[in-house]
Each structure stands twice: as structure tokens, then as C-alpha cells.
Amino acid sequence: MSESRILLVYAHRNPGASRVNRALLDAAATLANVTVHDLTARYPDLRIDAEHEQRLLLEHDAIVLQFPFYWYSTPAILKEWQDAVLAYGFAYGSEGDKLRGKKLMIATTTGGPSDAYQAGGYNQFTLSELLRPLQATANLAGMRYEPIFAVTGVRMLDDAALDRTATAYYARLAAL
Ligand SMILES: Cc1cc2nc3c(=O)[nH]c(=O)nc-3n(C[C@H](O)[C@H](O)[C@H](O)COP(=O)(O)O)c2cc1C
């Protein structure tokens, strides 16, 4: 079986200031079958070229959305990307089957530690629960929703732990 072509859609409000996502991205970029696509670098004005984005999606078998968790959700540019790109007739609707069968994996990083993301914890809800809008989107588009890759408690992560996390991310992507 040939390797799947992976499109890694990266959204960070300030990529130059990233520590954790940068380390993940650097690991991902060493995989030959991964196309790294930095939305903020490409669209600093948030004006997404929907046709270009749809072409990119069509050229790949698996989509990874990588982003730091902001206000229990995605950075604004990734929400704008969803609104502009996942259009009727492309991602949903009677002829909107262009993403059907492709895998979707969420890779996100959080300031909150893992025990904050549970019932009774500081944030009350699990990450899987909070990411349900993306899961529902994958469902509507007929995509295969993969287990989330999450890095929690980033402020407690020392450089050695970050290295191990980046290696684990590489392995997840290699197996996608
Ligand atoms: C605007 C903003 C909102 C944030 N919201 C959350 C949040 O809802 N939950 C959380 O755990 N961390 C939150 N954080 C912390 C970020 O997730 C964290 O700084 C990021 O994952 C670190 O990744 P980086 O080194 O790639 O920037 C927020 C940070 C910012 C700047």
C-alpha cells in the first residue's frame, strides 16, 4: 500500500512565538509524505483562498489540523478556514462528497494540564467533548475522525519531554 499523502493545516496566531507547536511542526516536516501548510504565514490578513485550499485538500488523503487550543476552541484563522473552505457542494450537500473517506486528525496543545480536562476538573469537560464541533464536521463531511493527538500542560513540559512528545507525534503521523 502506498503512503498516504497528509496535509497538515497549521494555525497559530503568532507562529514566531510558538515553542510547542513549533517542535511538533519541525518533527512533522521531516516526513516526506507530509505537506505543512501554515495558514498564518500564507494568509496574514485572514483572507483565505478557498479554491486553493480545496485543491490542496483534494490532493491529500489525510488532513491534520494542528493548533494551540484557544478559548476551548481553534484559533480564529482556522475557524475562518472552515467557514470559507468547507463549502456546500464540496464538503456537504447532495454533491458535497469531496472529503468523503479522508481521515481527519486533530493535534492540539493546551496550557491546562490533563487533569483539568475532565468532569469535576478545572475546565469541567474533556478535550474530546470540547472538540465535538470538529468531530461533527468530520461526520457531516463523511471523514474518518482519528483519535486526537493532544499535548496538555505545556508550561510544565521541559525540553526533554517536548522532544519525546515530538517523536510521538512523528510516529502518529507516520502511522496515519
Ligand atoms: C488567546 C489564548 C487563549 C488560550 N486559551 C486556552 C484554553 O482555552 N485552554 C487552555 O488549556 N489553554 C489556552 N491557552 C494556552 C495555549 O493553548 C498555549 O499557550 C499553547 O498551547 C502553547 O503552544 P505554543 O508554544 O505553540 O504557542 C490560550 C492561549 C492564548 C494565547
Side-chain angles (χ1 to χ4, degrees), residues 10 12-14 17-23 66-73 108-113 117 123 127 151 153-155:
Y10 175 49
H12 194 293
R13 190 158 182 267
N14 186 0
S18 166
R19 172 176 177 253
V20 180
N21 280 278
R22 168 53 50 196
Q66 185 191 318
F67 54 92
F69 210 43
Y70 286 168
W71 290 112
Y72 308 108
S73 185
T108 193
T109 65
T110 73
Y117 285 102
N123 290 317
L127 275 176
V151 186
V154 297
R155 278 182 295 277

Side-chain angles (χ1 to χ4, degrees), residues 26-53:
D26 287 349
T30 62
L31 282 162
N33 59 324
V34 171
T35 307
V36 171
H37 183 41
D38 181 340
L39 291 182
T40 303
R42 171 85 200 225
Y43 304 112
D45 56 3
L46 263 77
R47 290 163 63 95
I48 308 276
D49 178 345
E51 277 181 28
H52 174 73
E53 297 301 310

Side-chain angles (χ1 to χ4, degrees), residues 4-167:
S4 61
R5 298 161 301 173
I6 300 174
L7 177 64
L8 195 164
V9 177
Y10 175 49
H12 194 293
R13 190 158 182 267
N14 186 0
S18 166
R19 172 176 177 253
V20 180
N21 280 278
R22 168 53 50 196
L24 297 182
L25 211 61
D26 287 349
T30 62
L31 282 162
N33 59 324
V34 171
T35 307
V36 171
H37 183 41
D38 181 340
L39 291 182
T40 303
R42 171 85 200 225
Y43 304 112
D45 56 3
L46 263 77
R47 290 163 63 95
I48 308 276
D49 178 345
E51 277 181 28
H52 174 73
E53 297 301 310
Q54 290 178 349
R55 258 195 317 277
L56 274 178
L57 289 169
L58 292 174
E59 288 166 5
H60 293 81
D61 312 301
I63 316 302
V64 176
L65 303 179
Q66 185 191 318
F67 54 92
F69 210 43
Y70 286 168
W71 290 112
Y72 308 108
S73 185
T74 66
I77 196 168
L78 186 53
K79 181 59 167 64
E80 176 60 14
W81 179 89
Q82 293 169 61
D83 296 351
V85 179
L86 305 180
Y88 179 83
F90 181 78
Y92 71 101
S94 57
E95 289 170 35
D97 59 356
K98 309 297 182 287
L99 300 176
R100 190 159 298 280
K102 294 184 192 289
K103 292 179 179 175
L104 181 72
M105 183 176 120
I106 307 303
T108 193
T109 65
T110 73
S114 59
D115 63 5
Y117 285 102
Q118 59 182 328
Y122 186 74
N123 290 317
Q124 292 291 338
F125 303 100
T126 66
L127 275 176
S128 291
E129 287 168 335
L130 294 165
L131 289 167
R132 276 198 181 139
L134 288 171
Q135 186 174 1
T137 300
N139 177 56
L140 184 68
M143 301 179 82
R144 293 152 62 189
Y145 194 67
E146 294 287 315
I148 297 161
F149 184 90
V151 186
T152 52
V154 297
R155 278 182 295 277
M156 267 85 80
L157 209 62
D158 63 22
D159 288 347
L162 183 55
D163 271 0
R164 287 194 296 277
T165 301
T167 302

